[in-house]
Amino acid sequence: MNTVQEEVRSGLADIVNEIVGVPLDEVRPEQSFADDLDVDSLSMVEVVVAAEERFGLTIPDQAAAGMKTVGDAIGYIVANR
Amino acid sequence: MFSTDRKVVVTGVGATTPLGGDSTSTWQGLLAGRSGVRLLTHAWAAETPVRIAAEVAVEPTELLPRPEARRLDRSAQFALVAAREAWADAGFTGPAGTDGTADPDRLGVVLASSIGGVISLLHQHDVLRQQGVRKVSPHTVPMMLPNTQGANVGLALNARAGVHSPVSACASGSESVGYGIDMIRTGRADIVVAGGTEAAIHPLTIAGFGNMMAMSKRNEDPTAASRPYDRGRDGFVMGEGAGVVVLESAEHAERRGARVYAEAVGQGLSADSHHITQPEPSGRGIVAALSGLLDSSDLVPDQVVHVNTHATSTPKGDVSEVKALRKVFGEAMDHIAVSATKSMTGHLLGAAGGVESVATVLALHHRIAPPTINIDDLDPEVDADIVRGEPRPLPGGRIAALNNSFGFGGHNVVLAFRTV
């Protein structure tokens, strides 16, 4: 990961930690939100809304639905912020 | 009428109340005659005519992991705390299916509140108005639905025999325990975790109840405000918390060698059909519920030595309940130790029946009735032997006790427990 990607990963880690309590260093690009991090569909909405605020962008529902892994989210945020 | 061949017993108790964060500290508080009523310190309380309430002694967020707590309404947090205590108290080491003694398909949950997730509902309404649609929590609906306190307990304990939330205002907790007894009687479950929860201390509910003239305004003396049977009573004091019992078929409890607190003998139910909020003055509906209990169970009136009354400290309700008890028990009423524990806990609304079931079961188990506090000038219309000041020992032998709960809407629920 480059610095920008790492900055976004670290921000997402804060958000996921706040919402579901997963330790910060376990939030890695290859991790699936649902399968590895215990982020269910309702909590995923919270993650998306918090990410919008933190990174200053709007994430349409369709884009959010495509974010299966932390890497997916990092990629979308880096490309669209 | 239900078959009584399947005897039901209580094998676990749990509570979180204004007197303590668990059933033991709550029970100690009751025996000590301690009031849980305090002056409210919230900023909003300065603007309401009622500025007192009985808030829980231990915040549930101190006991629950943060990610779990943040997606639960306060009422569901209370329910989980009390249910987990009761479950562990009954001797289970983990959710059904994990410890080998409880079968998920034979475990039910019956747990209700009177108002549901009202604090979450109103908070999210504030979010909507102040921050817009996008910021409304996706957990709003499951936090406000009035079945989700029970559903969350069911999820936590892996209950699959059925999860129910019979809502009947301030009778909800007792109606839940009664429903749980029936689930076991009718063979639907071997174990049912049952009770009530409530978290409704909010300016809107206080304004609503206050404007009905139902609440005490004794702001200058909070611990004396809840005073059932005293001539100076001027309304109830709102409390919050949860109370839960583990009901189990006697056979199942015996098979796993469980400690048994008491038998859950049965219930009596009726409706006043008189007024949406006023109690029926003659106590007709309460008489019907008590008679129904006696008709549908093997309870002998002479066995009854203690009643944990509904007595909320309102001028009318306290008296009509005592009249009804006298009508049904006659002279035997002279040997019944009557305790109004709301004098200490405040009125926990939908949780009241759960907490008072716990208190009634523990009174039988320890053979001691908790006192009623704040009676300085007993209302002469109260024709009953009220336990005042000090707790009172209950007699030996096979004894029974009742827990009464009534709710706005005219709901009357009477539960009976008995020593084994």
Side-chain angles (χ1 to χ4, degrees):
Chain A
M1 278 190 295
N2 60 36
T3 337
V4 176
Q5 287 167 328
E6 172 51 29
E7 180 219 327
V8 172
R9 188 211 63 81
S10 163
L12 282 170
D14 287 342
I15 292 168
V16 171
N17 171 263
E18 167 68 22
I19 292 172
V20 292
V22 174
L24 295 174
D25 57 3
E26 285 182 25
V27 183
R28 296 186 299 270
E30 69 277 12
Q31 300 272 294
S32 154
F33 284 109
D35 301 334
D36 301 320
L37 301 177
D38 212 18
V39 177
D40 68 10
S41 60
L42 297 184
S43 297
M44 190 60 200
V45 177
E46 287 188 285
V47 169
V48 168
V49 172
E52 287 182 334
E53 187 165 58
R54 177 149 188 157
F55 301 111
L57 79 168
T58 300
I59 304 174
D61 292 348
Q62 217 168 352
M67 294 176 181
K68 303 298 181 200
T69 65
V70 174
D72 295 340
I74 295 171
Y76 185 88
I77 292 164
V78 169
N80 292 279
R81 67 197 289 206
Chain B
M1 205 175 293
F2 295 102
S3 141
T4 48
D5 353 324
R6 275 171 70 89
K7 187 170 143 185
V8 181
V9 294
V10 178
T11 54
V13 294
T16 182
T17 74
L19 300 181
D22 58 21
S23 61
T24 305
S25 52
T26 295
W27 178 242
Q28 292 306 326
L30 290 174
L31 291 184
R34 198 151 49 76
S35 169
V37 182
R38 301 282 179 272
L39 199 60
L40 286 166
T41 54
H42 304 279
W44 55 258
E47 292 160 33
T48 149
V50 174
R51 296 194 293 278
I52 50 176
E55 296 178 291
V56 289
V58 178
E59 279 298 315
T61 46
E62 288 175 23
L63 305 170
L64 298 170
R66 189 169 45 89
E68 184 175 40
R70 67 190 299 283
R71 55 190 301 166
L72 297 173
D73 179 72
R74 187 171 174 81
S75 60
Q77 294 174 359
F78 294 154
L80 263 189
V81 168
R84 283 189 176 136
E85 185 202 345
W87 187 247
D89 186 50
F92 299 108
T93 55
T98 63
D99 82 342
T101 49
D103 174 0
D105 293 330
R106 301 291 301 160
L107 170 65
V109 171
V110 191
L111 197 143
S113 67
S114 75
I115 320 186
V118 64
I119 292 179
S120 297
L121 168 64
L122 293 167
H123 172 66
Q124 292 300 326
H125 186 249
D126 289 343
V127 170
L128 173 69
R129 299 291 291 269
Q130 289 157 13
Q131 301 176 51
V133 173
R134 188 66 171 160
K135 288 295 168 63
V136 170
S137 168
H139 300 293
T140 301
V141 172
M143 287 169 95
M144 73 184 192
L145 292 176
N147 62 310
T148 49
Q149 298 91 353
N152 276 300
V153 169
L155 276 170
L157 301 182
N158 200 20
R160 298 183 194 160
V163 174
H164 307 280
S165 300
V167 170
S168 50
C170 302
S172 301
S174 284
E175 187 155 344
S176 294
V177 173
Y179 194 123
I181 295 171
D182 283 351
M183 278 184 83
I184 296 172
R185 284 270 165 78
T186 54
R188 283 185 57 204
D190 293 326
I191 311 170
V192 176
V193 175
T197 186
E198 199 77 61
I201 298 174
H202 183 280
L204 183 84
T205 51
I206 295 212
F209 281 114
N211 289 350
M212 293 170 73
M213 313 309 279
M215 298 185 80
S216 171
K217 296 187 179 73
R218 202 179 286 260
N219 300 316
E220 71 290 354
D221 195 3
T223 60
S226 186
R227 44 197 312 117
Y229 307 132
D230 181 83
R231 224 195 298 221
R233 66 193 185 276
D234 68 332
F236 78 88
V237 175
M238 194 184 291
E240 62 172 4
V244 170
V245 293
V246 174
L247 302 165
E248 193 164 350
S249 82
E251 190 192 345
H252 193 274
E254 194 181 342
R255 208 181 322 138
R256 68 181 186 92
R259 178 259 336 267
V260 172
Y261 282 106
E263 178 188 0
V265 183
Q267 63 176 324
L269 301 161
S270 76
D272 279 351
S273 275
H274 166 72
H275 186 274
I276 194 67
T277 56
Q278 292 296 320
E280 197 281 322
S282 76
R284 179 190 67 210
I286 304 171
V287 169
L290 288 164
S291 306
L293 165 71
L294 292 170
D295 291 347
S296 65
S297 68
D298 63 351
L299 184 70
V300 180
D302 285 349
Q303 289 176 328
V304 179
V305 297
H306 170 55
V307 180
N308 187 311
T309 48
H310 184 63
T312 63
S313 185
T314 57
K316 288 178 184 167
D318 292 11
V319 170
S320 58
E321 179 180 16
V322 168
K323 279 185 188 165
L325 284 165
R326 174 63 74 178
K327 212 171 275 182
V328 172
F329 287 96
E331 282 183 16
M333 181 76 182
D334 294 337
H335 311 292
I336 294 178
V338 171
S339 303
T341 49
K342 288 187 184 76
S343 60
M344 294 168 277
T345 61
H347 186 0
L348 275 67
L349 309 179
V355 170
E356 287 154 25
S357 287
V358 170
T360 308
V361 164
L362 291 179
L364 286 173
H365 180 68
H366 297 294
R367 291 187 190 262
I368 189 160
T372 306
I373 65 166
N374 293 327
I375 305 179
D376 298 328
D377 182 12
L378 183 68
D379 185 335
E381 283 205 79
V382 176
D383 178 21
D385 181 13
I386 312 292
V387 181
R388 293 165 67 174
E390 296 290 312
R392 185 189 303 172
L394 295 173
R398 195 154 191 232
I399 56 172
L402 309 183
N403 167 27
N404 291 351
S405 294
F406 315 124
F408 279 175
H411 309 277
N412 304 306
V413 182
V414 178
L415 298 172
F417 301 95
R418 186 164 54 193
T419 54
V420 287

